[in-house]
Amino acid sequence: MSIQDTASGVALWRQVADGIERGIADGRFAAGEKLPGEMEIAETYRVNRHTVRRALAALAERGLVRAERGSGTYVETGRIAYPLRSRTRFSEIVGAGGREPRGQFIDATEEEATRELARELGLKTGAPLVRIESVRLADRTPICVSTTWLSAERFPDAGKVFANVRSMTKLVAHYGIRDFRRASTRITAGIVDATDAARLDLALGRPVLVVDSTDVDTAGEPLTTKRSRFAAERVEFLVESSL
């Protein structure tokens, strides 16, 4: 049973959550700013830390704040307007919104092309591929987790290159490809799994937008095929009529 304030009949955790939400709305806590620690909040509202944790959990469920392991709780930034166009570049989109784009390399492995991946990349089934796992962030906020596949023959040592440059645009430029475009994009809805939840700092069960896409060079030859999982509460896709 919730602890009740005898005067108002409102659960104490709700009063704390409402107070923090008002602080976010009136600018006392700016987007991306770290909130005071649990003990400081508890002293401000004269409640215990359990009550503070429940208030913060409620705010996190609504997408207003985000807890970072070992760091603290931060005010979520507003949704990023993310245009889907023939030349979609994460760094340009995030940078245009006044935020710092960042890439984190997770892992790179080699595997054989399945029938579906071979079709997307114009290769034979079983052809050697490089698979790259990465996270893209805007300032401190993780926006999406991506799994990208490339031909191991066309892009030898692609995993090592990406680990250094942290950008798919810079990776293909390393191999002499200066321009490329989006050939296809498919968007579906999903629920974050345990692995992606940890990488995106999301609670289990939160919604994600799954984007499957294939990029080609100026001659129309496939370069990469990718599956990206975007935190649905942090982006809004804008589908341009030119697609």
Side-chain angles (χ1 to χ4, degrees):
M1 180 179 296
S2 300
I3 300 174
Q4 301 286 327
D5 178 270
T6 55
S8 65
V10 178
L12 288 178
W13 69 265
R14 172 54 62 192
Q15 294 181 49
V16 175
D18 289 348
I20 295 173
E21 184 174 356
R22 284 193 297 271
I24 294 172
D26 65 24
R28 281 182 290 130
F29 302 127
E33 181 182 337
K34 183 178 179 179
L35 291 176
E38 290 181 359
M39 185 62 72
E40 184 177 345
I41 295 174
E43 291 175 353
T44 297
Y45 290 92
R46 298 182 180 179
V47 296
N48 59 44
R49 293 181 69 177
H50 175 76
T51 299
V52 173
R53 291 191 189 106
R54 182 167 181 184
L56 294 175
L59 292 171
E61 287 178 0
R62 295 176 55 200
L64 295 176
V65 302
R66 181 186 77 261
E68 291 191 7
R69 294 173 180 82
S71 178
T73 301
Y74 294 80
V75 178
E76 279 284 23
T77 53
R79 281 187 172 89
I80 293 174
Y82 200 96
L84 297 175
R85 53 171 74 108
S86 60
R87 284 173 172 77
T88 297
R89 308 287 191 266
F90 181 90
S91 296
E92 293 177 5
I93 291 169
V94 171
R99 303 184 192 181
E100 179 185 0
R102 294 175 51 207
Q104 289 183 350
F105 171 73
I106 299 174
D107 191 22
T109 56
E110 291 193 5
E111 59 184 55
E112 294 183 352
T114 62
R115 182 179 301 177
E116 180 180 357
L117 289 173
R119 183 179 65 251
E120 292 293 331
L121 290 170
L123 302 172
K124 293 181 178 180
T125 300
L129 301 179
V130 177
R131 171 177 173 157
I132 298 174
E133 301 282 347
S134 61
V135 179
R136 305 308 301 271
L137 303 94
D139 295 328
R140 300 175 57 95
T141 305
I143 302 300
C144 71
V145 178
S146 293
T147 306
T148 305
W149 293 269
L150 313 89
S151 166
E153 293 183 357
R154 186 172 185 181
F155 302 99
D157 295 322
K160 293 180 180 179
V161 175
F162 186 86
N164 289 326
V165 300
R166 311 294 177 92
S167 161
M168 200 56 60
T169 300
K170 293 179 181 178
L171 183 150
V172 297
H174 175 84
Y175 295 91
I177 299 165
R178 302 301 175 185
D179 192 19
F180 59 93
R181 64 178 176 82
R182 181 66 52 86
S184 64
T185 302
R186 183 177 65 220
I187 305 171
T188 55
I191 299 296
V192 71
D193 63 20
T195 300
D196 285 350
R199 292 171 176 172
L200 290 170
D201 279 329
L202 289 176
L204 280 174
R206 300 298 295 172
V208 290
L209 297 170
V210 182
V211 179
D212 292 293
S213 60
T214 298
D215 290 331
V216 299
D217 61 21
T218 54
E221 293 295 322
L223 295 175
T224 68
T225 190
K226 180 187 302 183
R227 169 162 287 192
S228 299
R229 288 83 71 196
F230 286 80
E233 60 207 39
R234 298 173 192 161
V235 297
E236 54 182 12
F237 290 136
L238 306 176
V239 180
E240 299 191 342
S241 58
S242 60
L243 283 178

